[in-house]
Amino acid sequence: MDLTFSAGELAFRDEIRAWLASNLPTEAMASMDTPAGFEQHRAWERVLFDAGWSVPSWPRLFGGRECSLVEWLIFEEEYYASGAPGRVNTNGITLLGPTLFAFGTDEQHERFLPAMASGDEIWAQAWSEPDSGSDLASLSTTAVRDGDHFVVNGQKTWCSRGAWADWIFCIVRTDPGSERHAGLSYLLVPGDAAGLTRRPVGRLDGEPAFAELFFDDCRVHESNLLGGEGDGWSVAMATASSERGLNLRAPGRFLAAADRLAALQRRLAASGAADDELTDQVASAWMKAHAYRWQTYQVASRLQAGGTIGSEASFMKVFWSELDVELHATALRLLGGDGEVVDGPHGRDWMSGYLFALAGPIYAGTNEIQRNIIAERVLGLPRK
Amino acid sequence: MDLTFSAGELAFRDEIRAWLASNLPTEAMASMDTPAGFEQHRAWERVLFDAGWSVPSWPRLFGGRECSLVEWLIFEEEYYASGAPGRVNTNGITLLGPTLFAFGTDEQHERFLPAMASGDEIWAQAWSEPDSGSDLASLSTTAVRDGDHFVVNGQKTWCSRGAWADWIFCIVRTDPGSERHAGLSYLLVPGDAAGLTRRPVGRLDGEPAFAELFFDDCRVHESNLLGGEGDGWSVAMATASSERGLNLRAPGRFLAAADRLAALQRRLAASGAADDELTDQVASAWMKAHAYRWQTYQVASRLQAGGTIGSEASFMKVFWSELDVELHATALRLLGGDGEVVDGPHGRDWMSGYLFALAGPIYAGTNEIQRNIIAERVLGLPRK
Amino acid sequence: MDFSFTDDQLQFRDAVRTLLDDRCPPAAVRSAWTNETGRIEGLWARLADMGVLGLMAPEERGGLGMGEVDLVLLLEEAGRAAVPDPLLEHTAVAIPTLSDAGVCADVVDAAVSGAVTVTVGLADAGPYVLGAEQADHLLLERHASLHLVDAAAATITPVSSVDDSRRLGRVEFALDDAQLVSDDPRARSLAFDRGALGAAAQCVGVAQQLLDVTVAYVAERHQFGRPVGANQAVKHHLANVALAIEFARPMVYEAAWCIATGAEHRSREVSVAKAMASDAVDLACRRALQCHGAIGYTIEYDLQLWLKRGWALAAAWGDSRRHRRRVAAALQLA
Amino acid sequence: MDFSFTDDQLQFRDAVRTLLDDRCPPAAVRSAWTNETGRIEGLWARLADMGVLGLMAPEERGGLGMGEVDLVLLLEEAGRAAVPDPLLEHTAVAIPTLSDAGVCADVVDAAVSGAVTVTVGLADAGPYVLGAEQADHLLLERHASLHLVDAAAATITPVSSVDDSRRLGRVEFALDDAQLVSDDPRARSLAFDRGALGAAAQCVGVAQQLLDVTVAYVAERHQFGRPVGANQAVKHHLANVALAIEFARPMVYEAAWCIATGAEHRSREVSVAKAMASDAVDLACRRALQCHGAIGYTIEYDLQLWLKRGWALAAAWGDSRRHRRRVAAALQLA
């Protein structure tokens, strides 16, 4: 056990810290879930890419710097601590990216990974359908072979940034007679495909952050099939594991939020606008962010030693999503009557952050389902 | 709406308050779950009975004073506020009593109610079996007709005070071919019946408060059948409703505990042994005891106006049982390292109270099952 | 001891519910999110006609001469319907405060008739004034005294709430432009208690509505071949919301009775009510959203109307922590 | 960054587990509840033989010269087995504190060999001393200095714990009868951090054991024609316990490393670990009992051994609230 960063890790940390200090955008960007903000954030992805920071853990061949898992965690800590902009291509880089590495052909790697790394192609995830949410395997969007194309028909929903994304990754039913987990395929669809209509849907914070996608004889070339035809479920589960485990929500963002929360408490207390009564709750939330960091380093050590992460990913998903709610709810309690205000006097907009955090226990598999997974697959309790 | 006590209610309150002030035992009694304490508490029941206070809501014919429901709530408040001893015949008076009034014959009323009121006959409830707890309807203790007797065979468990009780009320299967809720009967069994063996079992606090009962060709006369043969389930549900609703746990005991908790906080704070950090939790627990009081008066008003209480009793059972845990857990937090001590320096033994409180979410139907009832029968959610 | 409402009180409640079903459906509330005034066309006048606005004004001022016990049932309905107007400020605080003080009879008359709207800003109620720009008069606190100010004479800076139908403003005014209503600290304390009670009643109404729509949704929505509401985790989430409401509601009624009768522990009881009602609606918001899943997370679906109102009302007129602290002080715990 | 134990460390842990399975099964723990000493015949000597007692003593004193990182795995096992002796006081606090101070070498030698038992009483650790009557020596705090006292020279008043194998005593002593160990406040602070860390490790072990036995019980116990553990409410109760352990455990290991390496934030990290471990074991106790139902509520069933140990350890060496307050102070929140 050695819980210090190595000389190499420290050098890595100093390098990203210095780069961020010199290169952070000076102007605030619009929300990435508006058309204008989307393009501003895309431009920032290019800045990161040009400096080699957009996908630091990827192979150099595709724009990365082949950093270790621990270095990637360091990158995330520094990135969020700096207050740098949100990453508009997160779903591509952290969810589709690892799945492409695992299941994609060499041609697909070359076709998709560099453009993903540079931000030239921003990705959105379209899995849920109006009648298939938690029960994804009940999905009914079909893709029927026609020569070297698939013809897609159906509807997808809750597609984050799906209104403007350049590409979309979907799960569709390619075997028309199949049921449940069989007969599904993982398809990559251009946002401008003929037969694809996209309707923006307002998220709780008012931004048109979701899209509904309507596929009406939408033709997708077979080269855009990821993994084997009919293997979509197992490919999708690889993505879901990334979503629940380390990839989507590294500790950095919560450590940064915990530090902002502590600073808010100190500031309000110093100005007499808050008393000490919430100290215990602020300390508790900070501790949990800290515990998430160390649990993650423990998991990373296991992975770097050749171990794997399976259903334990559900621990992380439940923990970070409920931690995020707790961090923001505590801030709102500190703010009292100021809590309902958006763009209020306390710098960061904690109410908007709260709204965003409340989605955490829902997406990437509801926390109810994650707890089932922990009980059944980790603890071994009977399913029925 | 008039939330003051009427002149009659005030007179009633003053009368019981004065009586308690003059008649409380001066010597502390042993635990009612020891042989010696059991008899001490029985003697106290006789004192109450002689003054007309053992069953104030019952008809005068059976030793009561026919007080109203609100007056009974007042009685309970005054009783617990005075620090009077626990009631050793609670299961008889509050659970079997109302069931006897509803389902008993005149002969049964005369046979059982006066002796119950006087404490001459202390009752225990024996429903659960080793394999039938939450799933009571799966019980397998049989009672087979033999002339004017039933011959009982089987095993009952978790029978509180069952080792010394004079009488026991059971549910048994009288139709040998029946399953689940059909074919059950409600039987009253003398504690000294031939063929009944009783084994004391230590409760979490170490007292031999439970008993296991072994029925081995135990003969019980048919006059001890309560309700019709085969109607045991519906009779039992009347008892269960008493157990969950108003009867078993009137607000008085929790109001008294909340006041003791507040006093503990004040005393520790005044002596410098506690700081104000737990003020919020003490206030919260006190508020809930107070809310339980007012919710109960609201229900009582509905009942006095001819209304009924059905599945809503589950609200009360969940609330008082979790309130009781919260009251005691908060006290233990106040006590810190003194919390683990039994018979400690802070007067009341909060750890023993905590152990007792922890049984609340289990007995009288687990709180998990009560929440199912609330969801399915009050809110109308689908069972499957 | 009689903890029940009269048939008249319940019938008045039902009539208000019918009115709000008709005039304040979700679509109308949505209009208030985006229109200029943040109000629903014609609703104020209908509430005045029915006597709701002047419920607590004396009969000689055109009011119904009723009290807080009558009022809470109606404010619960206002919560259920997410009425966007500063109804509680106007009806539960401003009119009775001015009436009690025996001042500004012309304003009271106009307020009872619905011709004007009077909103309220007290120091302990929160940093902003609801509907300040839309109101005609503002009842404001300074140095523990209460003053009435014409909206035109105040400086109002709009502030955006998460609930766009809550038009908040930061208000400044000069004492020269204000009329003293009362410098009796008891008047200020009573005004605050009335406001906190009204907010508590609305919280309970919002929580009940969230529970009702969520129960309906999870009974109908199917996943894995059965209703979502058949899952025990969902059942227990909603049972917990029902429990929170079941025990908060009597405290709101009891606190109303304490104000109406000038009971000794009035302020403590109001704080118990608001603390429990705030906690209930906060839990209801969390669970309603979770049980809906993604559809509840959109602005196209009506759930958001009650979620955002619930978050705002949980904190307005003192959040649960502040009210628990008042209870602790009353119990001499701290 | 390498957050893993060595194979040697894990093998030592496994060997201790094997020893405890053999010598400290529930029946043996039960004997300690009722026998005169509150200890298990022969266990202390076996732990000494294996090197556990002297794990942190320098090799020249017969110890293994290891540190806190080696120790926490073993104390987790002690928690799982509900070892009744004052193991952490002796091994994790007394021996290293005396060794660090370079005093009482004879006592250290005897403690390492298991010939004597040394227990500890620090002001912040709680009002009582574990095993005071049974120990030979007591390491006690007065005026922030540490003193060693012969048990015979101290006045010990027994106090009953809910866990009868925790033989507590209120201890008084005269400075004339004591040997000064250290008046350096850093020594006192380090002793406290070591004790809190050890208690945290034991809490995690108790919590894990409660989880394991409860998982086994609910998988086997049937009601309504299926295992109790098939109910989603039971699943979620136990998933929540698993979550609490999953995130407390790395903090215990990290805090151990911080003590072992003298890290700057050592005390803060120890407090994070103890706060989270106390909360984890408290939740585990509540849920284990609830999921067992009535059978867990008897003294005949073994669950009670871990329940009572869990409640005691959650509060011993500072409960979660006190440790959160230390974290808050370190973060300059208050």
Side-chain angles (χ1 to χ4, degrees), chain A residues 130-131 133-135 158 199 202-204 275 277-278 325 338 340-342 354-356 358-359 361-362 368, chain C residues 128 159-162 166 168 221 223-224 237 286 290 294-295 297-300 304 308 311-312 321 325:
Chain A
D131 291 325
S134 291
D135 184 11
W158 323 131
R199 186 178 80 84
R203 194 172 53 186
L204 209 47
D275 49 47
E277 283 194 340
L278 286 168
V325 174
D338 256 326
E340 72 172 293
V341 172
V342 293
Y354 182 61
L355 296 184
F356 185 78
L358 287 173
I362 297 171
E368 286 76 16
Chain C
Y128 311 109
V159 172
S160 299
S161 167
V162 66
R166 282 175 60 86
L168 302 180
R221 166 90 173 166
Q223 290 285 274
F224 300 103
H237 281 335
R286 287 282 296 278
Q290 184 69 18
I295 197 171
Y297 204 72
T298 65
I299 52 170
E300 298 188 355
Q304 63 130 355
K308 292 175 180 174
W311 288 318
R321 187 174 58 92
R325 191 164 46 185

Side-chain angles (χ1 to χ4, degrees), chain B residues 12 45 49 52-69 71-72 75-76 87 89-102 108-121 123 242 247:
Chain B
F12 180 92
E45 289 294 311
F49 174 74
W53 289 117
S54 74
V55 286
S57 63
W58 285 16
R60 292 184 192 281
L61 185 63
F62 301 118
R65 56 173 70 207
E66 298 177 6
C67 77
S68 71
L69 185 49
E71 285 170 338
W72 178 73
F75 169 80
E76 292 280 310
R87 302 292 304 274
N89 209 7
T90 292
N91 287 353
I93 293 169
T94 64
L95 301 186
L96 180 60
T99 313
L100 267 170
F101 280 114
Q108 287 174 326
H109 289 173
E110 282 166 36
R111 167 63 192 85
F112 293 118
L113 291 170
M116 186 189 293
S118 66
D120 288 345
E121 292 177 351
W123 287 81
S242 288
N247 290 359

Side-chain angles (χ1 to χ4, degrees), chain C residues 11 14 46 115 127 146 161 215 224 232 268 294 314:
Chain C
Q11 281 162 16
D14 292 345
R46 298 294 292 268
L146 299 174
S161 167
V215 164
F224 300 103
Q232 198 179 26
R268 184 189 74 190

Side-chain angles (χ1 to χ4, degrees), chain A residues 277-336:
Chain A
E277 283 194 340
L278 286 168
T279 301
D280 191 66
Q281 290 177 40
V282 175
S284 181
W286 185 90
M287 279 166 42
K288 288 180 187 169
H290 198 59
Y292 184 53
R293 177 178 195 250
W294 284 109
Q295 192 264 5
T296 301
Y297 278 117
Q298 196 182 30
V299 170
S301 290
R302 205 170 75 221
L303 293 174
Q304 291 202 152
T308 57
I309 177 169
S311 302
E312 297 90 343
S314 295
F315 281 123
M316 309 180 80
K317 198 268 156 162
V318 171
F319 197 82
W320 64 246
S321 60
E322 296 183 359
L323 163 62
D324 204 23
V325 174
E326 180 176 339
L327 285 163
H328 288 85
T330 305
L332 293 180
R333 279 195 287 273
L334 275 169
L335 292 172

Side-chain angles (χ1 to χ4, degrees), chain B residues 129-136 138 158 180 199-207 210 212 273 275 277-278 281 322 325 329 332-345 351-352 354-359 361-362 366-369 372, chain D residues 33 125-128 130 159-164 166 168 170 217 221-225 231 233-234 237 282 285-287 289-301 303-305 307-308 311-313 315-316 319-322 324-325 334:
Chain B
E129 300 180 1
D131 291 326
S132 302
S134 291
D135 185 11
L136 182 63
S138 69
W158 324 131
R180 309 292 306 160
R199 186 177 79 85
V201 173
R203 195 172 52 184
L204 207 48
D205 65 359
E207 304 294 2
F210 288 138
E212 279 186 319
D275 49 46
E277 283 195 341
L278 286 167
Q281 290 176 40
E322 297 184 357
V325 174
L332 293 179
R333 279 195 286 274
L334 275 169
L335 292 172
D338 256 327
E340 72 172 293
V341 172
V342 293
D343 300 324
M351 175 54 86
S352 294
Y354 182 60
L355 296 184
F356 185 78
L358 287 174
I362 297 171
T366 68
N367 284 10
E368 287 75 16
I369 286 182
N372 289 354
Chain D
W33 277 57
Y128 311 109
L130 179 65
V159 173
S160 298
S161 167
V162 66
D163 176 345
D164 282 335
R166 281 174 60 86
L168 301 180
R170 187 187 299 279
Y217 180 77
R221 166 90 173 165
H222 280 62
Q223 290 285 275
F224 301 103
N231 289 290
V234 173
H237 281 335
D282 190 60
C285 286
R286 288 281 298 276
R287 297 306 177 233
L289 180 55
Q290 183 69 18
C291 292
H292 272 80
I295 196 171
Y297 204 73
T298 65
I299 54 170
E300 299 188 354
Y301 194 76
L303 192 72
Q304 64 131 352
L305 303 176
L307 291 177
K308 293 174 180 174
W311 288 319
L313 285 174
D319 61 11
S320 69
R321 187 174 57 93
R322 281 177 186 272
R324 274 197 301 275
R325 192 164 43 183

